Amino acid sequence: MAALSGCSRLSSEPSYLSLTLLNFDSQEHELILEILRADADDYVDAVVVKDQYKLSAPPVDRVASKRVEDEILESDTYIVNVGLEESPATTDTYHFYPALQDDDERNDRLFIEIRTERDSSELYFDFQQNR
């Protein structure tokens, strides 16, 4: 019985989603971020985050500049849309799925990276989760 009560206690504790925004490009960028509930019926109900973040160019001694937004909202299934203010054609979408509730090391973190193609100077986004 004690084991079952421990499980219910863990599942009732909310888990939160944190963001790490990384800029690997040599220029400063304004990242447009929109996080939507995946199960909403319309756009107005879906929007949970709609914000812009200025990401500086990496310092000389670093590969990337970094901005961390801890526990921005409760962890759930989301659709994440990103874009660059100065480059409207540079956009991407990521489907975020939270870690399993019984995962001992549940720490939902989404990494959104601005990167540059090696063979050209085209910008793109890369997403990583829970690394």
Side-chain angles (χ1 to χ4, degrees):
M1 194 66 156
L4 289 177
S5 67
C7 286
S8 67
R9 183 186 63 78
L10 287 175
S11 64
S12 66
E13 292 177 8
S15 177
Y16 293 92
L17 172 62
S18 296
L19 290 177
T20 299
L21 308 173
L22 297 160
N23 181 12
F24 286 90
D25 187 39
S26 60
Q27 303 296 314
E28 176 179 282
H29 293 288
E30 186 94 13
L31 178 109
I32 301 167
L33 174 71
E34 181 180 69
I35 300 177
L36 308 170
R37 285 186 188 89
D39 61 353
D41 291 329
D42 60 49
Y43 180 78
V44 172
D45 292 335
V47 176
V48 289
V49 173
K50 191 169 187 164
D51 213 342
Q52 288 187 256
Y53 299 93
K54 187 171 282 196
L55 300 176
S56 61
V60 175
D61 60 339
R62 302 254 174 181
V63 174
S65 65
K66 178 177 172 179
R67 180 168 178 164
V68 175
E69 298 291 328
D70 284 323
E71 299 183 350
I72 62 165
L73 52 111
E74 201 165 318
S75 193
D76 202 350
T77 302
Y78 295 111
I79 299 168
V80 180
N81 295 320
V82 292
L84 295 178
E85 176 71 28
E86 69 280 0
S87 179
T90 306
T91 63
D92 207 345
T93 299
Y94 181 79
H95 294 267
F96 176 84
Y97 298 97
L100 298 174
Q101 286 197 355
D102 61 352
D103 186 346
D104 292 338
E105 296 181 23
R106 186 169 184 190
N107 180 19
D108 286 326
R109 180 168 295 279
L110 177 60
F111 296 82
I112 302 173
E113 304 172 355
I114 300 171
R115 295 188 168 266
T116 308
E117 292 285 350
R118 288 185 184 177
D119 297 338
S120 69
S121 59
E122 287 189 48
L123 296 168
Y124 70 96
F125 292 101
D126 192 28
F127 300 90
Q128 302 291 326
Q129 189 174 325
N130 298 342
R131 61 177 183 189

